[in-house]
DNA sequence: CTTTACAAATGACATTTGTCATCCGGGAGT
DNA sequence: ACTCCCGGATGACAAATGTCATTTGTAAAG
């Protein structure tokens, strides 16, 4: 609990969230090697992460997107709403423009891919701590690529359809009529230029619209 | 290039392969913290990995499964064929019994999940280096769980169907008649206890049968 | 030379999907 | 009050999908 009594005391405090324990530990190890950064807490899911950030008030919060309980984007949005001073850096596998947009809307200061060399993480933490924005170059360019044409309903319906559920089941799950579900699906299919529900779901997923 | 002039000189030499640069670096950092382990090379894809192992003859080779060029399983199989003395540890996201089976057939000595706590990695390396086998507990139990009931045809057809292709397209792509495709699909669906092609594909995928 | 076995195809049928035009019941405007 | 719009629901119809029983080659086993 006592703050790392290292050089000068002015280390950057960070909290990390990542659902794969091994990766979480490894990233933490990576950051701990840097003299000017201390990992004050780790979390294996979104809810835990949110609590950890609120409890520790770190300078920077590093988080994955796809996690149990709450996604990294949801946590970021919540932190923005609560006006904590903590800066958020998203670290994810997915180069999806939809994710980046949502991340920025949720007030994230950084968005970088797990593809990048490891050194960039510590760099990003420092830059973001200074108040700068760090966006992965690959995304930065085409970032503002076409925006999500789907309505909320279409999204929900498409999500379930993509898992192989039948129209009737989906209807039951969402409290709609089967016909209505088919209508939404039909709309989504045409908006995405797909040939059927499955392809539509696939397309939406790769764009990060889910 | 000079071997780490640490305590005693008898460190375990390892090569790591993982396609996500950030994770690769982090895992390396994690292992480097252990006094008795040295990371002598890193690789970002399968081919690179194979070369690195052949060039360095490490004690242990740690690898992800899903990588560009060559999968970790393929590299493992090749190393077995070449009778190098290097022990292989698979580290992956997927708890699929199909993968585990293939890993063991390819002569891997370890199979662990990225879900597990980070400490287990170094442990696994040490155990494997001693000649022991390390299988993730979650998989170890049901490991020999039900073997793939699908025929090759069913697999092919299911793969395409899972991407949203229609029966007709699949037929064209495989040089079969549409009716036949539907028959295979129907068979696969019943074998897997699914309700339709999409669910069947999903189930097969999670079992590692693809 | 049979028998058996299996991959592939056919045909027929019920069900599910995808499409479209239309209808209903509230708001929100003006 | 009276439109106009929008989420949702209906109904109808064509197309795609899932199921089965049956048939045809063909290759291995006897």
């Amino acid at each position: 609990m006592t703050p790392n009594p290292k050089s000068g005391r002015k280390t950057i405090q960070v909290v990390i969230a990542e659902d794969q324990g091994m990766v979480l530990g490894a990233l933490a190890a990576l950051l701990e090697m840097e003299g000017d950064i201390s990992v004050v807490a780790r979390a294996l899911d979104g809810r835990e992460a949110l609590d950890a950030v609120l409890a520790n008030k770190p300078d920077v919060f590093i988080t994955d997107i796809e996690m149990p309980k709450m996604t990294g984007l949801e946590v970021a949005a919540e932190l923005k709403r609560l006006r904590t001073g903590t800066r958020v850096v998203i670290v994810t596998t997915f180069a999806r423009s939809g994710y980046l947009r949502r991340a920025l809307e949720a007030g994230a200061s950084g968005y970088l891919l797990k593809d990048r060399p490891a050194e960039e993480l510590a760099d990003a933490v420092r830059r973001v701590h200074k108040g700068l924005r760090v966006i992965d170059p690959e995304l930065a360019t085409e970032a503002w690529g076409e925006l999500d044409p789907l309505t909320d309903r279409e999204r929900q319906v498409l999500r379930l359809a993509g898992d192989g559920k039948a129209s009737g089941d989906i209807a039951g799950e969402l409290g709609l009529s089967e016909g209505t579900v088919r209508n939404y699906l039909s709309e989504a299919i045409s908006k995405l230029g797909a040939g059927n529900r499955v392809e539509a779901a696939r397309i939406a997923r790769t764009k990060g619209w889910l």
Side-chain angles (χ1 to χ4, degrees), chain A:
Chain A
M1 283 305 161
T2 44
N4 189 335
K6 266 251 176 69
S7 54
R9 198 208 109 274
K10 211 182 191 133
T11 64
I12 303 176
Q13 315 272 95
V14 314
V15 166
I16 311 185
E18 155 69 56
D19 64 329
Q20 299 195 309
M22 192 108 109
V23 177
L24 172 59
L27 290 176
L30 190 66
L31 289 177
E32 293 283 19
M33 303 187 74
E34 310 289 324
D36 58 340
I37 299 177
S38 332
V39 178
V40 298
R42 311 170 182 199
L44 285 161
D45 68 63
R47 188 109 53 223
E48 236 180 79
L50 182 55
D51 294 345
V53 171
L54 295 180
N56 293 283
K57 297 274 175 205
D59 299 308
V60 179
F61 170 51
I62 300 173
T63 182
D64 189 9
I65 292 185
E66 303 196 347
M67 291 186 297
K69 309 278 184 69
M70 214 182 296
T71 72
L73 295 175
E74 288 168 340
V75 175
E78 187 62 9
L79 290 178
K80 178 184 188 184
R81 205 179 63 73
L82 296 177
R83 300 218 136 288
T84 63
T86 300
R87 319 260 182 179
V88 177
V89 175
I90 305 285
V91 177
T92 178
T93 307
F94 310 104
R96 296 174 183 169
S97 49
Y99 274 1
L100 173 56
R101 178 183 354 274
R102 279 198 268 161
L104 294 180
E105 280 167 7
S109 307
Y111 188 103
L112 67 152
L113 301 179
K114 287 184 182 169
D115 276 349
R116 322 272 346 166
E119 305 78 53
E120 294 190 18
L121 182 56
D123 277 5
V125 169
R126 293 193 193 95
R127 290 235 184 79
V128 163
H129 181 232
K130 284 203 193 100
L132 301 174
R133 249 181 209 301
V134 178
I135 307 296
D136 185 283
E138 185 179 340
L139 274 286
T141 33
E142 56 111 10
W144 243 226
E146 40 177 355
L147 32 118
D148 187 347
L150 301 174
T151 69
D152 286 339
R153 279 307 197 189
E154 287 161 2
R155 223 187 316 285
Q156 300 177 48
V157 164
L158 208 45
R159 231 191 303 263
L160 299 181
D163 288 346
K165 308 215 174 153
S167 309
D169 300 343
I170 300 177
E173 208 154 327
L174 299 180
L176 295 179
S177 92
E178 175 174 338
T180 304
V181 168
R182 299 223 302 274
N183 286 337
Y184 284 131
L185 246 8
S186 184
E187 250 314 287
I189 291 170
S190 93
K191 279 183 181 175
L192 299 176
N196 58 52
R197 50 178 75 193
V198 186
E199 198 185 343
R202 207 170 46 69
I203 294 177
R205 249 189 276 268
T206 65
K207 301 267 195 179
W209 301 331
L210 217 153

